[in-house]
Amino acid sequence: MLRMRLKFFRLLPDFCTNASHMSLHPALYTRHLKTVVGGLVLVTLVMLVMYTTPTPTALILSAANSLRSEVLMAGEGAEAQCRPQHHVMFLKTHKCASSTVQNIFLRYGYTNNLTFALPGGGNYLGNPGLFKAGLIPKSLLPPSGKVDIFAVHTRLNFKEHSSVLHNDTRWVTLVRDPATLYESLFNFFHLKNGYNLDLSSFSSQPMSRLMELPRYGGKFGKNQMLFDLGYSDNMSVTQLRQAIEELDGLFDLVMVAERMDESLVLLRHLLCWSLHDVVVFTKNARRQEVKPTLDPQTRQTLRELNSADALLYDHFMAKHRRAVLEFGVRRMADEVSALRSLRDEYFEDCGAREVKGKDSTLKFKEYSGLVSSYVTSNNSDQNCLMLSLPELPLVDTVRRKQLKTLEEMRAPS
C-alpha cells in the first residue's frame, strides 16, 4: 500500500508543474484535474478501508493497478506534459529477450549521464544467491548510495534492491512462454551435458524424474522466471498465487517477449521516452535456422515441468492484452508500425549488417556462435556503435565511464 501511495503522490508535482502550460489547453487541463481528483478519492477510500476493516491484499493491489493503468494510458495529449523518467529497475530474466531490452537502458543511461548498478566485472549482481547491496563495489557506487538504473542480471530481493534505488524508480521485467524459454535455456547453456539427457527425450521421461533435475550450475532450470524473480522453483499453488499477486503489485510494467514491439511502446509511455529511445537491434537471440522445432508432446511436457512459470506467464500475457486494449488497438498498431520503420532507418543509417556465427574478424563477439552479431560502417556515431555492441562489451563500456566519472567526483579539488 505504501508503494501505491508513493507512486500516486509522485504524480502531483508533475501535475502542478505543468498546470500553467495546460492552461493553454482547457480540455486537457480538465481531464488531468479529473484524473488527480479521482485518484485522490480512490486512495482516500482505500486507506479508509485499510484502517477500519480487514482489507484483502487483492483489493489493495487492484486499486494500485487501476491508478497505474490510468497514468500509463492517459492518452496522447498527456505525452507532452510528462517528464522523462531516469530511475528504472529492470529485472533481467534469462532467455526472455532481456539482453535486447537491457541494451535500451544501457544506451539511454550512458547518453544521459545516469548511474548504474554494476558489478566489478561481468554482468551479474547476485545469482544464484539473492541480491545484496554489498555486491556493488564502493568504487562504482555514487556518493548518495543510490543508482539511477539497475539493468544487469540479478535475483530479486526487494528490500536490498530498494536500498540502492530512488523512491520514484519504475520497476520493469519481462516474461516469455515457458516452453520456448526452457528449450532456449536448455540448448543455449548446454544443459544436455549436465543432465546427460536430450530435450527430445523429455516427453518419454516420468515427470517425477524431470522435476528432480537440479539447477544447472545453481542458476538454470525449471521455472526460471520465478527463480530470477527471487522465488523458489517449488511452491504450493497458494504460495504461487500469492507470489504472482506480489509481483503484479510491484512491477509497473511486465513486458512480454512474444509481444516485444507492443511492450516497447508501453515502456516508452511508462517512462515518457521518445520512440527513438526504444529502438533496438535484437541481441543474443539464436538465429532461426539453429532453433529446433518443438513437437506438441515435448512442448506440453515442458509446460507441465514449468507449470509455475506457465501460470505466471498466462497472468501477465492476459494483463498485457488488457493494457493494449486500454491503450487503443489502432493507436498501438500505428506506434508499432512507426517503431519498426524507425528501426529500419537506424539499420540503414548506421550501415548495419548481421554477421552469423563466431567470425574471428569481429572485434566484439556475442556469447555463442548460435546468435548473430552486428557490425556498423558508421562507428563514429556513438548511438550506432552502442546499438551494435554485444552485452558484455556494452556493460564494460558503461562501467569504464562510471568509474572515471566517480573518480573525478571524489578527487580533491
Side-chain angles (χ1 to χ4, degrees), residues 46-59:
V46 172
M47 290 175 67
L48 283 172
V49 174
M50 276 190 68
Y51 294 108
T52 56
T53 60
T55 305
T57 303
L59 178 61

Side-chain angles (χ1 to χ4, degrees), residues 335-347:
E335 285 220 25
V336 165
S337 177
L339 175 61
R340 290 171 178 171
S341 295
L342 194 59
R343 183 186 300 137
D344 290 341
E345 288 180 25
Y346 270 92
F347 207 82

